[in-house]
Amino acid sequence: MATFVDRVVLHATGGDGGHGCASIHREKFKPLAGPDGGNGGNGGSVIVEVDPQVTTLLPFHHLPHRRAASGGQGMGDHRSGATADDLVLSVPDGTVVKSPDGTVLADLVGAGARYVVAAGGRGGLGNAALSSPRRKAPGFALLGEPGEEADVVLELKTIADVALVGFPSAGKSSLVAAISAARPKIADYPFTTLVPNLGVVQAGDARYTVADVPGLIPGASQGKGLGLEFLRHIERCAVVVHVLDCATLEPDRDPVTDLDVLEQELAAYAEDLAVAAGGVPLTERPRVVVLNKIDVPEARELAELVRPELEARGLSVFEISTASHEGLRPLTFALAERVAAARRAAPAVEPTRVVLRPRAVDETGFTVKRREGGGQVWFAIRGEKPERWVRQTDFSNDEAVGYLADRLARAGVEDALYKAGAVAGDEVRIGPDENAVVFDWEPTLLTGSELLGGPRGTDVRLEDRARPTRGQKRREYTERMDAKAAARSELWTEREQGVWTDPDDA
């Protein structure tokens, strides 16, 4: 069974917000004493946070689906629902949060660094919070918003000061075991190391970490062997140490050729890496060459032969033996000096600044666009507020639907539909295409709480009977008066012309 996992896909769902409560206070001698419905509680969010005690992403490999708790429902007597606790997931230091398409969302470095993967939904307002001087006893409450759903990729990039790279069986694990308290698996066959190993080295007063990366082979940057899967663990290192096997029995290999192959693979992998501000590219970081296994006489001779050539390239070369521990002390102190120099040259970590971005004066917060497709024409409304208002509306309650119409009108949605060319009867969709609220637009629908006169939970504007406006009543009255005057005038004209005669005069 796997004990080390450095890449997982996390399916996170925030908790739903609790619904608001529509309640009317009742007590003796006060049967209708006003609204007292409480608000719903907010749902919990799914948050990933760096914990120094965690070293693997294994828990998410076994349980990739995580959901936060939902908020409590509002109740009468002004009792609000409970706010759910956030679901905090502990991840190792150096975890990178990416979207499924590879976009980096957060780079979590340092204890306590956190990122909200899926936010919880807001709780709905109760009818007590919705009351106003004109809407004194609302017969509805707002629904709680559903929590966000997000799929993210968690990748672990080991934070180590020194990275050991080399061919399989070059002695990297043996070196980590010799200079630190780490005890990685060591065997006499290739690819013994299947996961990165970390060790802490103490050299005098200096302390630094060393990472043993699984062996590289030609083509590792294109996915051959285990190199590509674990090369991400050397991205954050300050010093790269090439561990070269001087006692290899393969006829086509020698330390110089191995070094050239390793440098080519690192350069090919570094082409796709983004360099952080103030950072040093991987190919420009300090290099140290370690010629291992000099306890073998032939290997010692080969190390002495190739050392001048490697030093001519400007590289620091150390001859060691992990079996006899020869040459390890000078190596550890030399690495400590280079790590200290890299730490001094690193840019100072600045605290995260809070950036305020106020909304522009002419920004409405929503968009209205005319769409065509499948022989149909509709107008799509997208925006944070309109979509949130739709999610909060109980469409089985006419008064709640009327309240939604009031909110949309006050926000300027009707004016925007007019400007976009919408006419009465056009189809309007609020929200994303796959889950939109669809209705036929009626621009003559009046808004305003002054029209509320029916029972709670109803809205006269949504009834079948039409309610004429004052202007319509005035026009109808004028038309009736004009018709009566025209009829009297016609009768009088006919009488003057003798059409109408008195029978007694005949």
Side-chain angles (χ1 to χ4, degrees), residues 458-502:
T458 63
D459 194 306
V460 295
R461 295 169 293 177
L462 302 179
E463 297 180 3
D464 294 335
R465 60 184 180 85
R467 179 175 180 176
T469 63
R470 291 183 178 180
Q472 292 175 341
K473 292 180 179 179
R474 188 179 297 109
R475 286 193 299 270
E476 291 177 0
Y477 176 79
T478 303
E479 290 175 358
R480 287 197 302 270
M481 294 299 101
D482 292 344
K484 289 181 179 180
R488 286 195 296 268
S489 177
E490 183 179 357
L491 291 174
W492 183 259
T493 302
E494 292 178 352
R495 185 174 182 179
E496 290 292 330
Q497 295 176 354
V499 176
W500 298 98
T501 60
D502 192 347

Side-chain angles (χ1 to χ4, degrees), residues 194-262:
L194 299 179
V195 297
N197 297 304
L198 281 179
V200 179
V201 181
Q202 186 76 35
D205 296 333
R207 175 178 293 184
Y208 55 92
T209 56
V210 177
D212 165 26
V213 181
L216 301 181
I217 61 175
S221 59
Q222 283 75 40
K224 293 184 180 180
L226 299 176
L228 180 63
E229 186 175 355
F230 295 106
L231 274 174
R232 71 172 70 96
H233 293 278
I234 69 173
E235 293 181 15
R236 304 180 190 272
C237 69
V239 181
V240 178
V241 176
H242 292 288
V243 181
L244 305 180
D245 185 2
C246 292
T248 179
L249 299 178
E250 299 181 23
D252 56 343
R253 284 183 51 192
D254 61 83
V256 178
T257 304
D258 290 354
L259 177 63
D260 294 337
V261 173
L262 293 175

Side-chain angles (χ1 to χ4, degrees), residues 28 39 47 123 138 153 201 214 316 427 452 473 478 488 492 497:
K28 191 175 182 180
N39 303 332
I47 303 174
V153 179
V201 181
S316 299
E427 183 177 311
L452 301 174
K473 292 180 179 179
T478 303
R488 286 195 296 268
W492 183 259
Q497 295 176 354

Side-chain angles (χ1 to χ4, degrees), residues 8 24 50 86 130 138 163 172 195 249 285 291 299 337 343 349 355 359 364 404 414 461 487 490 501 506:
V8 294
I24 299 297
V50 172
D86 295 332
L130 296 173
K172 300 183 297 299
V195 297
L249 299 178
R285 296 175 193 176
L291 301 176
E337 294 178 0
R343 291 174 179 174
V349 179
V355 180
R359 195 179 70 177
T364 60
L404 172 63
E414 287 212 354
R461 295 169 293 177
E490 183 179 357
T501 60

